[in-house]
Amino acid sequence: MERKLMPELLKWKEGKGRKPLLLEGARQVGKTYLLKDFGRQYFKNVAYINFQNPSEQLIELFNGSIDPKRIITMLELYLNMKISPSDTLLIFDEAQEVPRSLTSLKYFYEDTPEYHIVTAGSLLGIFLHKETSFPVGKVHTLKLEPMDFEEFLWANGRENIVEFLKSNPYETTFNEILSDLFKQYMYIGGMPEAVADWIENKNVENINAIQKEILSNYQKDFIKHTDNTTAVRIRQIFDSLPSQFAKENEKFIYGVVKSGARAREYEMAIEWLVDAGIVRRVYQVHSGNKIPLKSYVNPQAFKLYFVDIGLFRSLAEIPFEVINSKTAIFDQFNGLIAEQFVLQQLAKQTLYYWTSGKTSEVDFVMQYGAHIVPTEVKSGTNVKAKSLKMFRETYSPQVSIRFSLKNTRSDGDLLNIPLYNIFLWTQMLHKP
């Protein structure tokens, strides 16, 4: 399956002053598959080391000197292969399990930059904050997200429709096809294993089983990598996410997690989930016309979103029939799934949300170049948005976006983009 990060990997390979590459991302977003596929396409050989359950021999190798030449020699013996600096991709997978493998990246950069070395791991975000010996400034970092809707369309053989619509964004001929695939994506999400199984089998029960296994593996990480108290609190935060969005809260409410809960008790648990890539934190901003938005964040007010729409649906136990049988499929859940979907598609943008008083809230606000772009999410065809209107009247943004189930339309500075055409948003921003 084609991933949007592949060109960035190729750019890294061909770049001057190349540093070792660190690929971050939550568990099972497809890091290992992508790196192996990258190696198959652009290198003669791939030397793959998995540190998930390392052998004593492998641990001993990194307990000794981490001089790169010694490591290369020892790995050649361990793998029984030649590791050439020009045509071999060396992959360290789940590298956080053997921290000295991460430390060695500094010496690969300083002493043997000719080698192509990449490292990946599902909990690297956590370990990078803990390991003081991590080579800051000596690695190039990329992050892999779950498959977005455009990648999902590619996987379903709809590349031609995507490319056609990018040049003809107001065309409606393919709306029904895209709407059906959109509903599938709401259920399946962007975890590559689930997407691949759906394409091959079209079996809802298979998808349920895959998603539950991924969620279970996340929960096992809570226990494996934290103390008992923190693990319990992480699990409580994790389980509360559907309830947070089922209520009309303007920020994350600790009382939804546990009656009488306090922020100081759960700060570490939230940080763990954010660092692991399992949740995304979106802060409130109190200004809509000042750059950078980051300077106007309210650190006490934020919302948590899940890493993947399909996993969130599974966690919330929303059945396939609900998603597949309705036009405005999200209304009864106060748009929680629609917001999750949009956030996942805009994952490369730093997003905030804006509120005014207790009645006005713009779902997302982003800084795009030199402009601030308010973004409203509507789950159906009723697109009345008093909050977005208030924001526009107060701050006069150059462009605003509304995602809904209505057709693509431009009303002056307001762009309406169908949720199932969300991949058009950057093209629409630049059209006159």
Side-chain angles (χ1 to χ4, degrees):
M1 291 183 289
E2 188 176 353
R3 303 301 304 271
K4 292 181 178 179
L5 205 63
M6 185 65 85
E8 300 226 25
L9 294 176
L10 185 58
K11 181 180 177 182
W12 166 79
K13 175 183 184 292
E14 297 175 347
K16 295 182 179 179
R18 183 184 57 249
K19 300 177 181 179
L21 176 66
L22 188 150
L23 183 61
E24 293 185 80
R27 183 180 291 281
Q28 293 180 262
V29 295
K31 298 182 296 299
T32 300
Y33 178 87
L34 176 62
L35 291 178
K36 287 185 174 181
D37 191 38
F38 174 54
R40 283 191 294 266
Q41 289 192 47
Y42 298 105
F43 292 85
K44 184 177 179 180
N45 296 302
V46 176
Y48 176 74
I49 306 292
N50 190 340
F51 293 105
Q52 182 63 51
N53 295 296
S55 65
E56 291 186 10
Q57 187 179 7
L58 195 57
I59 293 173
E60 185 63 26
L61 191 160
F62 280 92
N63 279 341
S65 167
I66 50 176
D67 173 74
K69 293 180 180 178
R70 173 187 174 272
I71 289 175
I72 292 296
T73 298
M74 299 299 285
L75 288 178
E76 287 178 333
L77 294 171
Y78 181 78
L79 297 170
N80 193 27
M81 67 177 292
K82 178 68 176 175
I83 299 176
S84 166
S86 60
D87 58 20
T88 301
L89 179 65
L90 178 57
I91 302 174
F92 289 172
D93 203 359
E94 298 297 344
Q96 75 279 349
E97 301 296 335
V98 179
R100 281 177 64 80
S101 70
L102 292 173
T103 306
S104 73
L105 300 181
K106 172 184 177 181
Y107 303 102
F108 273 98
Y109 171 65
E110 293 178 345
D111 300 336
T112 54
E114 65 272 20
Y115 284 94
H116 296 81
I117 179 170
V118 296
T119 184
S122 54
L123 296 174
L124 278 174
I126 293 168
F127 279 79
L128 297 190
H129 285 179
K130 291 165 58 176
E131 295 295 331
T132 57
S133 59
F134 180 76
V136 176
K138 308 296 184 181
V139 297
H140 179 67
T141 302
L142 292 174
K143 186 172 184 179
L144 183 65
E145 304 285 354
M147 297 174 71
D148 65 17
F149 186 51
E150 185 174 3
E151 290 173 317
F152 180 79
L153 292 174
W154 295 347
N156 280 273
R158 298 296 183 175
E159 304 95 328
N160 291 342
I161 291 179
V162 171
E163 291 309 307
F164 174 79
L165 286 172
K166 285 182 177 180
S167 300
N168 304 273
Y170 296 99
E171 180 61 58
T172 60
T173 302
F174 303 108
N175 282 9
E176 186 174 351
I177 293 173
L178 292 172
S179 181
D180 287 344
L181 287 164
F182 169 68
K183 291 180 181 180
Q184 292 176 25
Y185 183 82
M186 293 301 95
Y187 195 86
I188 298 158
M191 291 313 219
E193 183 183 359
V195 174
D197 191 277
W198 178 258
I199 291 170
E200 182 176 353
N201 299 307
K202 296 292 190 296
N203 186 297
V204 171
E205 292 306 314
N206 283 7
I207 301 304
N208 286 336
I210 289 168
Q211 290 169 338
K212 288 186 184 302
E213 182 179 5
I214 294 174
L215 291 173
S216 176
N217 287 335
Y218 285 170
Q219 292 163 3
K220 289 175 183 175
D221 283 339
F222 305 163
I223 299 170
K224 180 179 179 181
H225 296 287
T226 63
D227 59 76
N228 290 339
T229 299
T230 303
V232 169
R233 290 173 177 170
I234 293 173
R235 177 63 183 267
Q236 289 173 330
I237 296 287
F238 186 85
D239 290 342
S240 79
L241 293 176
S243 297
Q244 294 284 346
F245 281 89
K247 303 179 186 299
E248 295 183 357
N249 298 325
E250 65 178 43
K251 64 178 181 179
F252 185 86
I253 303 297
Y254 290 94
V256 174
V257 179
K258 180 183 176 182
S259 179
R262 298 288 183 267
R264 64 179 180 275
E265 299 173 320
Y266 288 90
E267 286 175 351
M268 186 178 297
I270 290 174
E271 291 297 332
W272 195 97
L273 287 167
V274 171
D275 288 344
I278 296 172
V279 301
R280 311 175 200 272
R281 180 167 44 198
V282 177
Y283 283 106
Q284 179 195 62
V285 288
H286 51 77
S287 175
N289 63 350
K290 296 179 180 178
I291 290 177
L293 280 172
K294 187 176 182 179
S295 298
Y296 301 93
V297 159
N298 176 1
Q300 305 305 316
F302 60 87
K303 294 183 179 181
L304 295 181
Y305 292 85
F306 213 66
V307 61
D308 176 67
I309 185 72
L311 294 183
F312 181 79
R313 180 221 54 83
S314 179
L315 186 66
E317 299 182 355
I318 301 172
F320 179 76
E321 292 75 16
V322 170
I323 289 179
N324 196 45
S325 64
K326 296 178 182 285
T327 302
I329 56 178
F330 312 116
D331 287 346
Q332 61 183 300
F333 301 103
N334 296 317
L336 81 164
I337 293 255
E339 286 185 36
Q340 287 279 336
F341 169 78
V342 169
L343 180 117
Q344 187 165 337
Q345 310 317 301
L346 304 183
K348 288 190 175 181
Q349 303 296 316
T350 301
L351 299 177
Y352 306 91
Y353 70 99
W354 174 87
T355 61
S356 177
K358 294 185 177 180
T359 58
S360 297
E361 178 180 314
V362 174
D363 298 311
F364 299 115
V365 180
M366 59 180 155
Q367 185 177 322
Y368 189 77
H371 303 290
I372 293 174
V373 183
T375 304
E376 189 77 16
V377 181
K378 293 295 183 181
S379 56
T381 55
N382 181 0
V383 295
K384 292 182 179 179
K386 293 181 180 179
S387 298
L388 182 59
K389 181 180 179 182
M390 177 183 288
F391 188 101
R392 294 167 67 203
E393 290 175 347
T394 303
Y395 298 114
S396 301
Q398 184 173 349
V399 64
S400 304
I401 299 176
R402 181 175 58 212
F403 293 113
S404 71
L405 292 183
K406 291 183 72 69
N407 291 338
T408 305
R409 189 175 70 188
S410 177
D411 294 329
D413 65 325
L414 177 61
L415 302 176
N416 188 89
I417 303 173
L419 287 162
Y420 46 79
N421 283 5
I422 195 168
F423 51 84
L424 296 177
W425 75 273
T426 52
Q427 280 81 7
M428 294 294 292
L429 280 179
H430 295 292
K431 283 186 176 292

